[in-house]
Amino acid sequence: MSGPDISVVICVYTEDRWEDILAAVSSVRAQSYPALETLLVVDHNEALLDRLTKEYKEATEVRVLANAGPRGLSAGRNTGIAASYGEVIAFLDDDAVAERDWLKHFAAGYADPHVMAVGGRTEPIWASGRRPHWFPEEFDWVVGCTYRGLPRGRVRVRNVLGGNASFRRTAFDFAGGFASGIGRDGDRLPLGCEETELCIRLTRARPDAVLLIDDRAVIHHRVPGAREHFRYFRTRTYAEGLSKALVARSVGADKGLESERRYTTRVLPAGVARGLRDAVLARPGGAGRAGAIVAGVLTAAGGYVVGSVRARRGGVMYSVAGIEEKADIEGKAGIEGKAGTEGEAGIKGGIR
């Protein structure tokens, strides 16, 4: 089958997701457009590393390796990029399964040589079997899924979403790797936006770069029961504000908040209006959804203010990693920076 060779990287960290990890790998192995390889990057968990190594010792197309950098999702992804051989590197969450044509749709996007990244659509699998009545679709990003307000079809975007995304290998030559200190490290705050920061950095390094979302590239993402509650919703939206503050300090507020302005001024008011209309019509959850949208905006704004103050005081550290050569992935990559500096904060060297 013609098209780019694609390596798939799945970052894992806990044995609690054992069955989910196996399901994720199985979904990659069943693709209509076969992956060149699947890399399972284990985040500083020796027991899980040993168990997965034994599980896939006979599977030549599945490789298990340890995160060669500091704890966290960004360093794990950077380890996978450095160890992979594909022209394109795709990322799949460890608690998600990809539909059969997932990689096929990713590959099609790279027919245009200007395309540097292609993302897809992520659908939630609710532990309770259905969406909570109060949970607004506009906030599905809280549980790592595609949210109402994103454009449909195959369209150009500012950034792809990390749990269902792919990048041309040369993108990392131009922009460096994922920044640690912004993305997920277990359940520590902040919990995201590392892919947003990378994508903005990439388009600054390559103004002609095209980033796409193709909503035919579908994965299904498991949402644990604990994440169906308002307490998690509030914590996650606050963490998003912290992350956005770091991104804004890194790449500037104009780019860092460009998409968010449209989201908060158009998408969310329309969501509140729908919720209130449903409440008037006595439909389940209408008032709850409207209230959740307002609460989500306020908590995210609060997180952004706190994150901005911390960044200005120099209290938040992050680093932008260069991608190591395959022979050197056992070493630790990273260029340290402080988020309290102006402009391209914390990006010192290593970015070509």
Side-chain angles (χ1 to χ4, degrees), residues 93-138:
D93 277 348
D94 63 345
D95 53 357
V97 292
E99 291 192 0
R100 179 171 169 77
D101 290 335
W102 178 59
L103 292 181
K104 175 183 175 182
H105 294 303
F106 277 175
Y110 292 102
D112 179 348
H114 292 100
V115 171
M116 287 287 156
V118 183
R121 186 172 86 248
T122 303
E123 298 287 350
I125 304 173
W126 302 96
S128 62
R130 64 179 183 179
R131 173 187 297 276
H133 288 311
W134 63 270
F135 203 112
E137 292 182 22
E138 292 82 359

Side-chain angles (χ1 to χ4, degrees), residues 223-238:
V223 181
R227 298 185 182 182
E228 295 186 11
H229 299 291
F230 184 73
R231 180 178 180 181
Y232 179 82
F233 179 91
R234 183 179 58 194
T235 300
R236 183 65 183 83
T237 52
Y238 177 75

Side-chain angles (χ1 to χ4, degrees), residues 329-341:
I329 62 171
E330 294 303 321
K332 290 186 177 181
I335 300 115
E336 299 239 340
K338 184 174 287 187
T341 59

